[in-house]
Amino acid sequence: MKHILGGIAAVLALVAAAPVVASTSWSFTTSTTCTHPGCSNVASNAAVGLGTGAGTASLTAAGWSNTNGSGPNPDTYLLETAYQTSVFGSSGLGIYNKDGCALAGAATNCDNAEGTSPEHSTDNNQRYDMMLLTFSKQVSLRQVTIGWFQTDSDISVLAFGAVGNPGNGNVLNDGSLATKSWSTLTGWTAIGSYSNVGVVNGSPSLNTPTDINANKLYSSQWLVGAYNPIADPANAGWTTGNDYVKLKTFGGCVFGDTTSTGCTNPPSGQVPEPGSLALLGLALAGMVSLRRRKNS
């Protein structure tokens, strides 16, 4: 019996260690041209559905940055929409904020080199750029993939009105940022900051997803951008000013999807999902059979 119990523990460990797979993904990879400052500051792209069940939620992305202010400390500036940079081939989304020194109306303390490489990306050099992702349903964002980075690739992720058990996935939250600064956001939950996105074993691996949101929270509005110690102070000791990333693909679970792999895991403390129980049952049957053969 001790051997059987030990085997049960091993099977349970395997079940618990099963990887979470994002059932639906949204990609921004279409080549477009955007001439500043006349281009639209909002970019949208149809979701690429890879899952089953509830279907796919649409996604709109818009850049935001702390550019509404003046004086020597941009950390206190209020948030404004930012220009969406071109999607260069398959590299993903970047931001050209409104304090670029070449733009009319930029702050006296303008953002040097903003809009030119590498600051045609979502970066944290002089200003903090983040992409606001608005979904048509509540989504548990689980993975982020970048298509380009320079120097460093740390990112921060926040969610508005984040919940563990969403109520109505068709209702959008009001996560307006227009009158806020990064330090005065209300209603937003810091999901976490993640270092070296797109790097595996010390080498660039741009199409490798990075897992986020370990608590599997749901929201219809998310902020993803270069590491932002003001919005997510938990890792405030990290270096800033050198993270330049382009956001390419987002993966997660759409609220109501009860069949896709990785989207039906119950909250901690509840029974395993049926697939896990079936796996456990088969393993136990095999162990019991083996035990009987040894005793006979």
Side-chain angles (χ1 to χ4, degrees), residues 62-130:
W64 285 79
S65 192
N66 54 323
T67 54
N68 183 4
S70 61
N73 185 11
D75 290 356
T76 64
Y77 293 5
L78 300 182
L79 301 175
E80 289 184 311
T81 55
Y83 295 112
Q84 172 67 58
T85 64
S86 301
V87 179
F88 295 103
S90 59
S91 60
L93 298 173
I95 286 174
Y96 183 178
N97 72 55
K98 291 181 179 178
D99 271 354
C101 295
L103 293 177
T108 302
N109 180 30
C110 59
D111 191 349
N112 297 323
E114 180 66 18
T116 61
S117 184
E119 291 191 53
H120 62 312
S121 60
T122 305
D123 69 82
N124 56 16
N125 188 319
Q126 297 184 280
R127 304 294 187 271
Y128 292 99
D129 302 333
M130 300 193 81

